[in-house]
Amino acid sequence: MRTYNRFVLSVAGVLMLTTVVLAAVGADSLGVYYSVYVLGALIIAQAFVHVSPRARQGLNLVSGGLFVGFLGMVLAEAVRFLA
Amino acid sequence: MLIMSFILLALARAVPRLPPEVGRVIMETGMENIAAVVEELGISQKPVYLPSSLAGGRSRALLPLRETPGALRLAGPLPRRFIVRYGSEPDDVGLLVTTVGTVAVAMLESAPGNSASEFESALGSLLVGRLGAADGVRATVTNPGIQVEVRGSRVEAASAGAAGCLDSSLASVIAAVAAEAWDRPFVVVGEERRGARHTIRLEMQ
């Protein structure tokens, strides 16, 4: 199986497992789901070191975007907490 | 779904612009031509993979025209020519050819280190990541040789004509990276294939 197939299957598996586990524990906040999804995707993206430089560049861009989304969510939660 | 979509879009950048079949046709043409020259000259000696420092700035393979017992002794760095004189004897003449390994080594982002782990990492990034030619690589350094095990190799055996006098594409890549890493000439002394597992043994010259 090629590296990219393994990578896509790993991300899909982790996202699915996250959904199942969070639904089982009764998590109902979109922020919690998003944060765990982002964390899982970032960890797997870093674990696959042997990808072509072009793919790595694209993945870094996606990781950056997801992280900005995560920071936005944290900021929104902080504002809501302080208000 | 959005996260998966973005990741798939990012990975789509790694899809080669040139279709693999076109690449294969070009590679086989080159290999056939080199094999024809080698066969016509009656060269039976295995290629010696030279680092860029000994082959005019680019890693290449030397095909000595005569049988040389023992290790090959180079008089010094070779010029960037097709027919080169490599030793002090009058018949120390050989062909300096560009191999698959030559092009593959140029794809490395940095020069490979000369420890087993650094060599393995360089091979992994090249064969697994950049070329997608294998699932994994394991290298064992045993003085004066190196044994490399390639798992899940997707590189087909070279054509019959080329296989007789040249090494396989996979062996060529590994030997060229080894030559660059240790900055010494290397020869492929053994190749064994069991299913998708490929074992290649190299010896330092």
Side-chain angles (χ1 to χ4, degrees):
Chain A
M1 192 184 288
R2 290 193 64 156
T3 311
Y4 298 109
N5 299 349
R6 277 206 306 271
F7 178 74
V8 170
L9 282 178
S10 306
V11 176
V14 164
L15 295 187
M16 191 185 73
L17 204 69
T18 306
T19 311
V20 170
V21 170
L22 289 180
V25 299
D28 55 357
S29 161
L30 183 66
V32 173
Y33 277 88
Y34 182 77
S35 305
V36 182
Y37 284 157
V38 168
L39 198 68
L42 289 180
I43 289 171
I44 291 174
Q46 293 308 310
F48 279 77
V49 288
H50 293 323
V51 291
S52 79
R54 282 174 64 82
R56 169 61 56 201
Q57 205 179 15
L59 284 176
N60 286 343
L61 205 68
V62 172
S63 299
L66 291 177
F67 190 67
V68 167
F70 173 73
L71 287 181
M73 198 147 282
V74 170
L75 199 69
E77 284 293 318
V79 168
R80 199 164 61 91
F81 181 76
L82 291 172
Chain B
M1 289 294 281
L2 268 176
I3 293 175
M4 280 302 297
S5 311
F6 287 137
I7 286 173
L8 288 172
L9 280 173
L11 291 182
R13 293 163 62 98
V15 175
R17 275 169 273 181
L18 190 71
E21 284 304 311
V22 177
R24 186 181 164 177
V25 167
I26 295 168
M27 191 189 108
E28 278 191 8
T29 310
M31 291 282 282
E32 288 282 340
N33 283 333
I34 292 178
V37 171
V38 168
E39 277 179 3
E40 204 63 35
L41 290 170
I43 297 172
S44 56
Q45 184 113 344
K46 281 278 193 181
V48 180
Y49 294 87
L50 303 177
S52 52
S53 61
L54 292 176
R58 201 169 180 212
S59 163
R60 280 163 193 257
L62 174 70
L63 290 160
L65 292 181
R66 71 174 177 104
E67 286 280 345
T68 319
L72 189 84
R73 286 184 185 174
L74 295 178
L78 303 178
R80 281 188 73 169
R81 296 184 62 183
F82 180 56
I83 299 169
V84 289
R85 183 174 293 282
Y86 60 86
S88 51
E89 299 293 319
D91 52 354
D92 282 345
V93 177
L95 303 182
L96 198 57
V97 295
T98 297
T99 64
V100 182
T102 305
V103 182
V105 162
M107 289 179 173
L108 283 170
E109 286 172 47
S110 57
N114 63 358
S115 69
S117 59
E118 286 174 309
F119 174 60
E120 197 176 285
S121 172
L123 278 182
S125 73
L126 196 59
L127 293 174
V128 181
R130 195 73 199 251
L131 300 173
D135 287 337
V137 184
R138 181 183 291 268
T140 318
V141 177
T142 52
N143 198 24
I146 299 169
Q147 181 164 308
V148 180
E149 268 188 35
V150 182
R151 284 182 290 107
S153 163
R154 281 177 285 275
V155 180
E156 290 173 31
S159 61
C165 39
L166 298 173
D167 300 312
S168 71
S169 308
L170 203 59
S172 165
V173 172
I174 292 168
V177 175
E180 210 57 39
W182 275 270
D183 202 25
R184 291 280 301 274
F186 271 86
V187 174
V188 177
V189 289
E191 272 190 75
E192 196 181 323
R193 191 170 189 144
R194 281 186 196 156
R197 188 177 288 268
H198 212 120
T199 307
I200 291 150
R201 288 190 307 281
L202 311 172
E203 210 169 271
M204 197 182 281
Q205 290 282 291

